[in-house]
Amino acid sequence: MKLNDLLNQTSEWLKGSGPKSDIVISSRIRFARNLVKAPFSDWATKDQKKDALSMIKKAMESAGFLKDYTFFDMAELSEIDRQFLVERHLMSLEHARNPEYKALVVDNSEIISIMINEEDHLRIQVLKSGFNLTEAWRIINKIDGKINKKLEYAYSSKWGYLTACPTNTGTAMRASVMLHLPALVLTKQVGKVLETVAKLSLAIRGLYGEGTEAAGNFFQISNQVTLGRAEEDIIGNIESIINQVIAREANARHVLMTQDKDTLSDKTWRAYGTLKSAHMITSDETMRLLSIVRLGVDLGVIKDIDIKSINSLFILTQPAHLQKFEGKASPSNERDVVRARLIRERLKK
Amino acid sequence: MKLNDLLNQTSEWLKGSGPKSDIVISSRIRFARNLVKAPFSDWATKDQKKDALSMIKKAMESAGFLKDYTFFDMAELSEIDRQFLVERHLMSLEHARNPEYKALVVDNSEIISIMINEEDHLRIQVLKSGFNLTEAWRIINKIDGKINKKLEYAYSSKWGYLTACPTNTGTAMRASVMLHLPALVLTKQVGKVLETVAKLSLAIRGLYGEGTEAAGNFFQISNQVTLGRAEEDIIGNIESIINQVIAREANARHVLMTQDKDTLSDKTWRAYGTLKSAHMITSDETMRLLSIVRLGVDLGVIKDIDIKSINSLFILTQPAHLQKFEGKASPSNERDVVRARLIRERLKK
């Protein structure tokens, strides 16, 4: 697979095919792993980083990984290509910023991605459509086991997996779920609901993780505690809390539909109409309008477009994706024209 | 012709077929005439009004008018039907309010309409598409002459035609032109231009005449002076001033198109998209959006709809028209839903 092949495919997590995908976009599990034989990336010299990278690459090759997966050497990619991978949620912004001796391994359906030499030597991620942490956990365990057969991990029987940042030590697992909560936002209940979630030691972030805002009514909820608890417990806990958030969102949607369907229909159709007509549109407005349209599609108000197409547009309209579609870098005001054109074309289909 | 036949036809003045109809909607000439044999309507007893009405009706019949024209007795029409005639610009609001002993005579193409027993015994109006006062004047003179052959008008060789309100005495003629000036509004020049027009003793009003606001960027410009000047002079004067306003609007449109076409396209297409999508829309927003779309069509930005359809929508979306389309009276919030549906259906064609 070539990087540009990704441009014309829909990542599995955007397909809207997983459980409860009217409210849950995706479920993600990430493991942090470090080699016992190499210093943590941030403390390593260039040569040590280079060695760690080649050691991992070799191990993956011999584990038979690189047949069905693609290996991207960060230093060989342009800035736009690296940003493109971030926009697809395949790797972190941090990983794109300093590309030296860094790599990314991705499977063809973009479910599995492995960052090499980010903060930790290995950051294994499994990203699945809908509310499906259990399946993500099953897959990541398999991958992790395969790699572990070839590479010895830094592990303490007392602390668990050792990580560059102590907050990850223990299971070194982060489980997160991306929720779309437009009805809780519209009915102004979202603050209270998320406050409760925060009190239960879960972290809440935006579409692009740490430090990003909850644009488009997307909220990523993840565990903060990694130490002293079993993986199953962490997943079970987050699942039960998310189930309650889902129930609240579903209820708010029901209330909107029964108490003021005309207003809701009008709002969603107008958003759809604007997306189909605008000739200049910012990224922020796109997110806001797509979010309302997504609600309209989920509620059966808008029937002539599917969730997969709407989900995809959230990603396709990001700056690096737009510039790759155009085949050239463009200043942000021109990008608003390009973005509007792309949206019109996609919604015409 | 029946009143309901009007519902499915486009008045001549809305067809966008007249001269300069990209900027000028319509030209109107109105003559006020009173019978020498009857007191002014406002001072008359009921019996006197009744007599005047029957005298005029008889005179029109014998002049052969009522073959090609329709006679509407105001007292026989419902409130909605009367409002409907006001919305079509066939008569005044004043004429609709107190229907007793009042009538309206209209020709099939809605170019000529004659109010009987409004403020004056006869108010003859000719309304033509585009900038065409000369043609309107030619037609109204013919009509006026025909009626005058059967009825003696109150006329003084010193003062001219005598009218109920002294401000109309003299020619008793009001010439007015309905302009669409969105570019002057967008470029914030409209205030200055209209200030100049006002200094030249012309009156400026909104879409529905006296006391209405300039909704939808429509401005009606008419003469104020009726005394001491010949009809030709009044028309010549208003024509030359309007020509300058037209030139200013055309220039502002040119500037918008050359300096920031992307922004203008975006604005017009979004307005069009909202009209095609909304499921609830107020009359005010409709006017505002149709006005922008009309500009887009005139400038060739939007090509898939004609001016006639846009012009018609300004009238079809008014309350009485909506209620007649629905076949029942409806409260104003329901009307917003009905209005949005009508607009969507019309724009789908």
Side-chain angles (χ1 to χ4, degrees), chain A residues 102-166:
Chain A
K102 289 192 167 109
L104 180 74
V105 177
V106 182
D107 83 305
N108 289 344
S109 56
E110 299 174 72
I111 294 173
I112 302 149
S113 67
I114 303 164
M115 287 187 276
I116 303 173
N117 276 341
E118 207 243 23
E119 188 181 285
D120 298 295
H121 291 134
L122 286 159
R123 287 257 174 137
I124 310 168
Q125 167 185 288
V126 170
L127 187 56
K128 284 289 291 177
S129 171
F131 191 28
N132 211 348
L133 285 172
T134 320
E135 174 65 4
W137 191 57
R138 194 191 61 75
I139 298 171
I140 202 166
N141 272 322
K142 227 172 88 185
I143 308 289
D144 184 46
K146 260 189 180 174
I147 300 173
N148 203 5
K149 273 187 190 150
K150 303 288 173 181
L151 286 172
E152 195 185 342
Y153 290 154
Y155 183 84
S156 134
S157 56
K158 186 176 173 192
W159 298 108
Y161 292 102
L162 302 179
T163 53
C165 177

Side-chain angles (χ1 to χ4, degrees), chain A residues 86-99:
Chain A
V86 174
E87 289 175 0
R88 292 184 87 78
H89 290 216
L90 293 171
M91 63 184 220
S92 67
L93 201 56
E94 168 60 27
H95 206 55
R97 271 186 195 137
N98 301 302

Side-chain angles (χ1 to χ4, degrees), chain A residues 23 179-194 204-205 213-219 245 248-253 256 264 267 287-288 291-292 295:
Chain A
I23 294 174
L179 293 147
H180 187 226
L181 307 177
L184 285 177
V185 172
L186 278 173
T187 56
K188 298 186 172 38
Q189 299 176 71
V190 77
K192 211 159 178 191
V193 170
L194 296 181
I204 300 149
R205 292 170 180 142
E213 288 207 0
N217 305 316
F218 290 114
F219 299 87
V245 177
R248 296 292 294 270
E249 169 68 17
N251 180 260
R253 290 182 183 190
L256 284 174
L264 188 72
K267 211 186 262 284
M287 294 283 276
R288 194 171 54 74
S291 173
I292 302 169
L295 177 64

Side-chain angles (χ1 to χ4, degrees), chain A residues 82-340:
Chain A
R82 297 198 302 273
Q83 199 189 332
F84 170 82
L85 294 168
V86 174
E87 289 175 0
R88 292 184 87 78
H89 290 216
L90 293 171
M91 63 184 220
S92 67
L93 201 56
E94 168 60 27
H95 206 55
R97 271 186 195 137
N98 301 302
E100 223 181 4
Y101 310 120
K102 289 192 167 109
L104 180 74
V105 177
V106 182
D107 83 305
N108 289 344
S109 56
E110 299 174 72
I111 294 173
I112 302 149
S113 67
I114 303 164
M115 287 187 276
I116 303 173
N117 276 341
E118 207 243 23
E119 188 181 285
D120 298 295
H121 291 134
L122 286 159
R123 287 257 174 137
I124 310 168
Q125 167 185 288
V126 170
L127 187 56
K128 284 289 291 177
S129 171
F131 191 28
N132 211 348
L133 285 172
T134 320
E135 174 65 4
W137 191 57
R138 194 191 61 75
I139 298 171
I140 202 166
N141 272 322
K142 227 172 88 185
I143 308 289
D144 184 46
K146 260 189 180 174
I147 300 173
N148 203 5
K149 273 187 190 150
K150 303 288 173 181
L151 286 172
E152 195 185 342
Y153 290 154
Y155 183 84
S156 134
S157 56
K158 186 176 173 192
W159 298 108
Y161 292 102
L162 302 179
T163 53
C165 177
T167 58
N168 290 318
T169 298
T171 59
M173 179 186 82
R174 180 91 55 199
S176 70
V177 176
M178 182 74 71
L179 293 147
H180 187 226
L181 307 177
L184 285 177
V185 172
L186 278 173
T187 56
K188 298 186 172 38
Q189 299 176 71
V190 77
K192 211 159 178 191
V193 170
L194 296 181
E195 208 176 279
T196 312
V197 169
K199 275 186 194 149
L200 298 164
S201 295
L202 296 182
I204 300 149
R205 292 170 180 142
L207 188 58
Y208 283 93
E210 210 161 340
T212 64
E213 288 207 0
N217 305 316
F218 290 114
F219 299 87
Q220 194 193 91
I221 297 182
S222 62
N223 66 307
Q224 284 187 308
V225 178
T226 55
L227 195 65
R229 299 183 70 176
E231 291 173 353
E232 291 92 325
D233 290 348
I234 294 171
I235 291 172
N237 177 50
I238 195 169
E239 273 181 344
S240 87
I241 296 169
I242 299 273
N243 265 321
Q244 289 170 53
V245 177
I246 292 171
R248 296 292 294 270
E249 169 68 17
N251 180 260
R253 290 182 183 190
H254 178 73
V255 169
L256 284 174
M257 277 298 269
T258 45
Q259 289 185 356
D260 200 359
K261 198 185 166 184
D262 280 343
T263 305
L264 188 72
S265 297
D266 183 52
K267 211 186 262 284
T268 57
W269 278 106
R270 278 170 181 252
Y272 191 38
T274 302
L275 287 168
K276 285 203 291 187
S277 314
H279 276 56
M280 286 173 92
I281 194 162
T282 63
S283 180
D284 274 1
E285 189 185 4
T286 302
M287 294 283 276
R288 194 171 54 74
L289 296 178
L290 281 174
S291 173
I292 302 169
V293 172
R294 193 182 191 283
L295 177 64
V297 174
D298 280 333
L299 292 176
V301 172
I302 297 175
K303 293 194 178 79
D304 51 349
I305 187 161
D306 59 13
I307 278 293
K308 180 183 154 187
S309 308
I310 293 291
N311 283 353
S312 300
L313 274 174
F314 280 103
I315 305 303
L316 298 181
T317 52
Q318 301 290 329
H321 275 76
L322 283 183
Q323 292 175 83
K324 285 189 71 68
F325 272 116
E326 279 288 281
K328 61 172 186 191
S330 59
S332 76
N333 58 331
E334 282 176 31
R335 235 174 278 156
D336 290 350
V337 173
V338 174
R339 180 180 294 112

Side-chain angles (χ1 to χ4, degrees), chain B residues 87-99:
Chain B
E87 290 175 0
R88 293 183 86 79
H89 289 217
L90 293 171
M91 63 183 220
S92 66
L93 200 56
E94 168 59 29
H95 206 55
R97 272 186 197 137
N98 300 303

